[in-house]
């Protein structure tokens, strides 16, 4: 059955609705960044750039780094944008735009987020690199998909009890990175973490400027949550390490669509100590260089 024009929306020149990309513009290794200006910061290291396009917050450049084809795309902020980027990237590689049907052979993308984030643990200082081993989505995105099979209900239940999570808030979902892909990005320079993804920057991350939050102890309780990770070898006690706004959505949708994903975070703020990086651009640039060099050796 062909997917109708109202569901898979194509622009007159054959590109997909929001990203404005055609299938030939996408490499099988994709770096996502939040900030559209960070796309050029990544491609500044490239040997060549073959294609660049921007529509709204979605700026994309494709080129090569040390000979390896890579697409860099900005998602803007939040998992609502992740829904668009992940679905449209997948459509670009796995749906035949002429027949509007699924291709017989599906392509699995490697999706690597290079983002910024705030630590909630004192011992993860500003300017650290953190790889999100797991992520907990405090947004609702994954609940709109048939996704129970990829969630971790035992951790979700423990989290809801520990936090006294209010019923009117969306139910948290726990998802994990692709551990094969992640293995390429681990080193003694990188902390492994459990990332909390939320729907906002201020109240949803416990920041108070003028408005009081509904739970003033949220970040403290987030930092104190512990669970016994049965998936790690050796078994270890894990804790929530950092807050940002995209990782859980990326992990959830990537897994459902058959892609591999990992999220690399430059820790710019430490919420437990109240500190912010003195050189945020330098730290982010170092993470870009580190991540590109790891991709080049894959
Ligand atoms: C908030 O300032 C934004 O920064 C973080 C958050 O996830 C959110 O998108 O990531 P990026 O720097 O990748 O956008």
């Amino acid at each position: 059955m062909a997917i109708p024009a109202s569901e898979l929306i194509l622009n007159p020149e054959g590109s997909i609705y929001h990203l404005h990309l055609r299938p030939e513009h996408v490499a099988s290794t994709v770096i996502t960044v939040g900030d559209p200006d960070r796309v050029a910061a990544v491609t500044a290291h490239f040997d060549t750039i073959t294609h660049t396009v921007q529509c709204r917050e979605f700026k994309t450049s494709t080129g090569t780094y040390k000979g390896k084809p890579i697409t860099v795309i900005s998602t803007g902020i939040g998992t609502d944008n992740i829904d668009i980027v992940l679905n449209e990237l997948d459509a670009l590689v796995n749906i035949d735009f002429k027949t509007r049907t699924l291709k017989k052979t599906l392509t699995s993308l490697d999706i690597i987020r290079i983002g910024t984030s705030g630590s909630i643990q004192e011992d993860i200082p500003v300017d650290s690199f953190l790889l999100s081993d797991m992520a907990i989505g405090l947004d609702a995105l994954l609940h709109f998909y048939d996704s129970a099979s990829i969630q971790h209900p035992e951790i979700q239940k423990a989290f809801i009890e520990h936090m006294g999570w209010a019923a009117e808030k969306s139910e948290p979902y726990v998802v994990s990175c692709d551990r094969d892909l992640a293995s390429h990005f681990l080193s003694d320079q990188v902390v492994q973490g459990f990332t909390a993804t939320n729907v906002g920057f201020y109240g949803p991350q416990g920041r108070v400027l003028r408005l009081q939050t509904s739970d003033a102890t949220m970040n403290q309780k987030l930092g104190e949550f512990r669970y016994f990770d049965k998936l790690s070898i050796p078994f270890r006690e894990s804790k929530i390490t950092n807050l940002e706004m995209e990782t859980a959505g990326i992990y959830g949708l990537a897994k459902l669509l058959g892609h591999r994903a990992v999220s690399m975070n430059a820790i710019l703020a430490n919420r437990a100590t109240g500190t912010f990086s003195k050189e945020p651009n330098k730290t982010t640039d170092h993470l870009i260089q580190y991540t590109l060099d790891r991709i080049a050796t894959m």
Side-chain angles (χ1 to χ4, degrees):
M1 260 272 283
I3 301 171
S6 60
E7 314 302 297
L8 173 65
I9 307 169
L10 300 179
N11 300 312
E13 82 287 4
S15 66
I16 197 151
Y17 192 45
H18 298 95
L19 302 188
H20 274 243
L21 294 167
R22 291 199 300 268
E24 65 269 26
H25 299 144
V26 182
S28 61
T29 300
V30 178
I31 292 173
T32 72
V33 297
D35 181 356
D37 286 345
R38 202 177 301 145
V39 174
V42 177
T43 59
H45 300 273
F46 277 22
D47 329 314
T48 57
I49 299 173
T50 51
H51 185 260
T52 296
V53 69
Q54 177 157 13
C55 174
R56 301 188 191 220
E57 56 268 70
F58 310 115
K59 180 177 179 185
T60 308
S61 284
T62 294
T64 59
Y65 177 72
K66 295 189 177 167
K68 188 172 177 83
I70 303 174
T71 291
V72 190
I73 185 165
S74 60
T75 63
I77 291 178
T79 55
D80 47 351
N81 284 332
I82 294 303
D83 183 61
I84 290 173
V85 172
L86 269 281
N87 276 290
E88 294 196 3
L89 279 174
D90 179 73
L92 282 157
V93 295
N94 286 323
I95 296 174
D96 183 328
F97 283 6
K98 289 207 175 67
T99 62
R100 295 176 165 277
T101 57
L102 206 59
K103 290 180 181 169
K104 284 202 175 65
T105 308
L106 297 181
T107 295
S108 174
L109 298 170
D110 282 346
I111 299 168
I112 300 122
R113 170 180 179 271
I114 303 178
T116 64
S117 181
S119 164
I120 59 167
Q121 301 291 349
E122 271 187 41
D123 61 352
I124 303 177
V126 294
D127 305 320
S128 304
F129 297 167
L130 185 144
L131 182 154
S132 308
D133 185 44
M134 310 273 287
I136 184 162
L138 307 175
D139 62 321
L141 176 64
L142 215 61
H143 298 309
F144 289 90
Y145 293 92
D146 178 6
S147 60
S149 64
I150 65 160
Q151 296 183 33
H152 296 267
E154 70 292 350
I155 306 174
Q156 292 160 201
K157 189 165 170 282
F159 178 86
I160 289 166
E161 280 169 19
H162 169 83
M163 296 295 291
W165 198 248
E168 65 268 20
K169 288 181 187 162
S170 153
E171 187 156 328
Y173 60 88
V174 173
V175 283
S176 57
C177 70
D178 183 284
R179 296 221 158 96
D180 280 344
L181 181 63
S183 67
H184 296 279
F185 297 90
L186 290 172
S187 77
D188 55 13
Q189 282 178 263
V190 175
V191 181
Q192 287 187 71
F194 183 5
T195 296
T197 297
N198 211 343
V199 288
F201 186 76
Y202 290 97
Q205 294 186 30
R207 284 189 173 91
V208 175
L209 301 185
R210 288 216 309 132
L211 296 178
Q212 295 308 309
T213 57
S214 59
D215 180 358
T217 60
M218 183 180 81
N219 281 10
Q220 188 195 330
K221 284 189 288 184
L222 276 177
E224 288 167 357
F225 177 64
R226 296 286 183 277
Y227 80 97
F228 200 56
D229 185 356
K230 293 186 214 118
L231 300 174
S232 69
I233 304 170
F235 289 178
R236 61 159 190 243
E237 193 183 64
S238 291
K239 56 189 177 188
I240 295 177
T241 47
N242 62 307
L243 280 161
E244 49 76 86
M245 298 177 65
E246 292 83 24
T247 296
I250 294 173
Y251 283 3
L253 292 188
K255 195 147 282 178
L256 291 174
L257 290 162
H259 305 295
R260 307 198 300 173
V262 68
S263 175
M264 302 293 290
N265 303 268
I267 299 296
L268 298 187
N270 186 300
R271 306 292 309 290
T273 59
T275 50
F276 191 80
S277 171
K278 291 192 170 51
E279 297 182 296
N281 292 338
K282 197 170 152 194
T283 300
T284 309
D285 281 340
H286 282 163
L287 181 62
I288 289 169
Q289 184 69 69
Y290 176 89
T291 306
L292 282 173
D293 283 333
R294 292 296 170 130
I295 291 172
T297 60
M298 279 170 59

